[in-house]
Amino acid sequence: MPPLRFQKTFISDERYESAAVFDVDNDGVPDIVSGAYWYPGPRFDRKCKIGDVQAVGEYYDDFSTVPLDVNGDGYLDFITGGWWGKTLYWRENPRGDPSKPWPMHKIAEFGNIETTRGWDVDGDGRVEIVPNTPGGPQRFYKLRTDSDGRGTGEFSEHVISEGASGHGFGFGDVNGDGRGDIVLAKGWLECPADPLGGPWTFHPEFDLGSASCPVLVVDVNGDGLNDLIVGQAHGYGLDWWEQRRQGGRRAWVKHPIDPFNSQYHDLIWADIDGDGQCELITGKRYRAHCGRDPGEYDPVGLYYFKWTGEGFAKQVIDYGPMRVGKGCGIHFAVADLHGTGRLDVVAPGKDGLALFRNLGYAHNMGD
């Protein structure tokens, strides 16, 4: 297949590193939410203030944007938090009113937050809020609901490990028992029959280095065993770790995908070309450590990698020096923003906020 075509639109010069796509005002049209602002679709050319975000040097203390109707009013709020504030918050949607600020509510204060994701840890169909806390134990937060299943604005905390979690995490069924496990940099936590109350068993089976957020848990080669896809968030390298069974025991074999680019911090597994098979979508986080990481001054880029049956083929969405190419921040998004049935890419970062409209293959470019 030929590579996909993308139309790049620079939305904002803001330096927030996290973004999400969801319908803020319930008009049936997806919007973009990033840092202190949201941008109404379908044009995304108007900036609506959410509220101030703490600035620390080159950073903003806003390392995730996880949509969730926390208070049960029918409007999506979002979860955020960061490294310096050491606090997980939810921002309350003022019922889609672009003239009103979004109140901030504290969920918990527990230490540095690398980033946060929403995963259905207990399998009840609702996402739990899972922060990556490198210096503390792994935990997640479950939204409390009322008798009608609506959010109450309160969360319960579940600490499932001891010691430091390390940099990077992922979620998926590692051992094939139908439950979602949590992958950390130096092993994985096995989900018990009771995810909320039972003990989680740690299996120290690998060392993923400065692992991405997330580590993807997917069956890459179709052998029925879930593998791991791992970027080096603060160094060079992107790999997949093949799961094998040897004598009834698990073994992991590392295979390179792209050893020549650095700071693969966020990864998404989605069907971007519409062929029914998922691709790996990722890119470089621009100036992740403000000049202190290997490859910080290399060109930035966005890519998708297609599994060929033997390895991953790299396709370029965007590439070049800063202000020519575009990175993807710490929490980027893919979604169909234009109703074409194709997934577009929303890329935040210290190098600005950009939208890449997926035009499909060359014969579809008139859509």
Side-chain angles (χ1 to χ4, degrees), residues 11-353:
I11 293 178
S12 175
D13 202 31
E14 301 293 344
R15 295 182 292 107
Y16 304 104
E17 291 196 73
S18 179
V21 174
F22 61 91
D23 186 359
V24 170
D25 50 3
N26 284 359
D27 66 351
V29 177
D31 309 300
I32 294 174
V33 177
S34 182
Y37 302 97
W38 67 279
Y39 304 83
R43 296 176 61 89
F44 312 109
D45 58 354
R46 183 162 56 98
K47 183 184 292 187
C48 303
K49 187 70 177 286
I50 290 172
D52 293 335
V53 180
Q54 179 188 4
V56 183
E58 291 188 33
Y59 298 94
Y60 284 95
D61 204 39
D62 175 63
F63 281 16
S64 65
T65 312
V66 181
L68 182 67
D69 182 4
V70 176
N71 58 358
D73 67 352
Y75 285 80
L76 286 171
D77 315 294
F78 69 89
I79 313 297
T80 187
W83 188 262
W84 292 271
K86 303 180 180 181
T87 305
L88 194 65
Y89 294 98
W90 67 279
R91 284 271 198 181
E92 183 180 354
N93 185 338
R95 296 179 178 263
D97 187 339
S99 68
K100 292 183 178 179
W102 297 48
M104 182 178 283
H105 305 274
K106 182 163 71 172
I107 298 173
E109 183 176 355
F110 48 78
N112 304 114
I113 302 171
E114 181 68 18
T115 188
T116 303
R117 294 296 183 270
W119 294 320
D120 184 6
V121 175
D122 60 359
D124 69 348
R126 296 174 178 267
V127 299
E128 279 67 58
I129 304 304
V130 189
N132 180 221
T133 51
Q138 185 58 59
R139 65 191 76 210
F140 65 87
Y141 293 85
K142 183 171 183 61
L143 178 63
R144 293 192 174 110
T145 57
D146 62 19
S147 58
D148 294 320
R150 294 185 297 238
T152 63
E154 298 180 342
F155 292 81
S156 60
E157 180 184 66
H158 303 269
V159 179
I160 60 172
S161 74
E162 299 178 353
S165 297
H167 189 294
F169 66 162
F171 177 74
D173 185 2
V174 173
N175 59 354
D177 65 358
R179 297 192 287 266
D181 309 300
I182 291 182
V183 174
L184 301 177
K186 295 185 183 298
W188 60 283
L189 289 161
E190 181 179 354
C191 181
D194 178 8
L196 302 180
W200 290 61
T201 303
F202 183 65
H203 301 273
E205 295 178 356
F206 41 70
D207 186 343
L208 304 179
S210 180
S212 50
C213 305
V215 173
L216 299 177
V217 183
V218 296
D219 183 2
V220 171
N221 56 1
D223 65 354
L225 300 175
N226 275 338
D227 312 297
L228 309 177
I229 302 178
V230 187
Q232 291 305 303
H234 298 290
Y236 282 94
L238 177 65
D239 307 279
W240 71 282
W241 291 64
E242 180 185 2
Q243 181 179 171
R244 295 180 181 175
R245 296 290 171 88
Q246 298 175 350
R249 302 184 65 180
R250 277 179 304 277
W252 300 90
V253 180
K254 181 179 177 181
H255 304 276
I257 299 174
D258 182 9
F260 305 117
N261 283 279
S262 74
Q263 296 168 93
Y264 281 116
H265 208 292
D266 189 10
L267 316 179
I268 292 177
W269 186 248
D271 182 10
I272 197 167
D273 63 2
D275 68 348
Q277 303 295 321
C278 287
E279 288 74 45
L280 168 62
I281 309 157
T282 184
K284 180 173 180 171
R285 180 185 172 197
Y286 175 65
R287 291 182 63 77
H289 280 163
C290 305
R292 300 190 304 274
D293 277 345
E296 282 266 27
Y297 297 101
D298 295 347
V300 292
L302 280 169
Y303 320 100
Y304 69 95
F305 296 81
K306 191 166 185 65
W307 177 251
T308 67
E310 297 179 347
F312 282 94
K314 182 179 183 178
Q315 301 287 1
V316 175
I317 298 173
D318 201 33
Y319 179 81
M322 197 257 194
R323 295 301 181 197
V324 176
K326 182 71 183 76
C328 63
I330 201 169
H331 189 180
F332 75 109
V334 297
D336 181 3
L337 289 169
H338 302 94
T340 63
R342 297 187 292 269
L343 294 177
D344 310 300
V345 180
V346 176
K350 295 187 185 76
D351 51 350
L353 178 65

